[in-house]
Amino acid sequence: FLKNKEIFDNLNNKIDSFKNIDFHPLLYKNITKMKFDLMTPIQKAIIPYILQSKDCLGCAETGSGKTIAFLTPIISLLLKNGPPKEDEKYLNPNSKYTNSCSYPVCLVLVPTRELAEQIYIEARKLLYKTGIVVCKCYGGVPNDTQIRELRQGVDIIIGTPGRIKEFIDKKILYLNLIKYLVIDESARMLDMGFKPQLEDIISNNDQ
């Protein structure tokens, strides 16, 4: 534990500002427009690990900047790595897998539509003029607009487990190309009884 803490402390001592992070220029331009400068503790802790494509678990209170902590590195990686290769069997127009469905690269699962809306608003600001498409999917509202957006193609989906599972079952949404999975407020989701949907979504192979 002490060795890991020493590594963690050394890493955090090296960064205290968004200027010190090697973000993609398009993302950094939007971060500047949002007037972000000094990083919060959760941002300092999480961002470097996600940029290295490592799994991580963060815990912070509301208002601590955790949404920016997971969105910024994921968006930067998407911009640097580019979209999935066009010769992927799931993206080939002649493939049996392609049928007006959506194959996102990032999935953000949240417990409520209110939180989905909050994250969606932040994501839209960070994605300004990047070409990356984000959509929100949650229950309690008609699904027509959400289905239409999915069928037009999206890169990042922010949604509640129930609605995401519904779209998977209807074969409107596939998770074959997911590279980044975020589970926000996981404890609250479990308290709300979403464990079965979470297990189904995470273990889904989209066969």
Side-chain angles (χ1 to χ4, degrees), residues 22-187:
D22 183 26
F23 284 132
H24 188 281
L26 286 176
L27 173 62
Y28 185 71
K29 188 175 181 179
N30 289 334
I31 288 174
T32 302
K33 288 180 179 179
M34 296 171 73
K35 298 182 178 180
F36 289 144
D37 184 13
L38 295 180
M39 303 169 72
T40 65
I42 187 66
Q43 292 164 355
K44 290 172 63 177
I46 294 298
I47 289 175
Y49 285 97
I50 300 179
L51 284 174
Q52 297 177 60
S53 297
K54 293 182 178 180
D55 294 337
C56 57
L57 174 65
C59 182
E61 60 187 11
T62 301
S64 59
K66 59 185 175 64
T67 298
I68 300 301
F70 65 74
L71 281 180
T72 51
I74 290 175
I75 292 171
S76 186
L77 288 170
L78 290 178
L79 288 169
K80 289 183 177 181
N81 297 334
K85 294 180 180 179
E86 293 183 0
D87 59 356
E88 287 275 3
K89 68 178 182 179
Y90 305 112
L91 301 179
N92 187 323
N94 298 318
S95 170
K96 66 179 181 179
Y97 294 93
T98 305
N99 183 28
S100 297
C101 344
S102 185
Y103 290 88
V105 183
C106 173
L107 172 62
V108 180
L109 291 171
V110 298
T112 66
R113 62 180 179 181
E114 290 79 14
L115 183 55
E117 285 285 355
Q118 293 173 23
I119 297 174
Y120 176 78
I121 291 171
E122 294 299 305
R124 286 290 301 271
K125 295 175 184 176
L126 292 169
L127 293 172
Y128 180 66
K129 290 189 175 181
T130 63
I132 296 175
V133 181
V134 61
C135 81
K136 51 192 176 181
C137 298
Y138 48 72
V141 296
N143 62 17
D144 297 3
T145 300
Q146 296 173 10
I147 292 174
R148 183 165 58 251
E149 290 181 355
L150 287 176
R151 285 179 169 164
Q152 290 174 349
V154 300
D155 304 298
I156 301 174
I157 292 184
I158 303 164
T160 52
R163 182 54 59 93
I164 295 296
K165 181 66 167 59
E166 174 190 338
F167 288 156
I168 291 173
D169 292 342
K170 291 182 177 179
K171 300 190 181 301
I172 297 168
L173 171 63
Y174 288 84
L175 305 182
N176 302 74
L177 301 184
I178 291 291
K179 295 181 67 175
Y180 308 103
L181 171 64
V182 178
I183 303 177
D184 198 6
E185 296 195 6
S186 56

Side-chain angles (χ1 to χ4, degrees), residues 5 7 21 117:
K5 184 178 185 303
I7 294 173
I21 301 293
E117 285 285 355

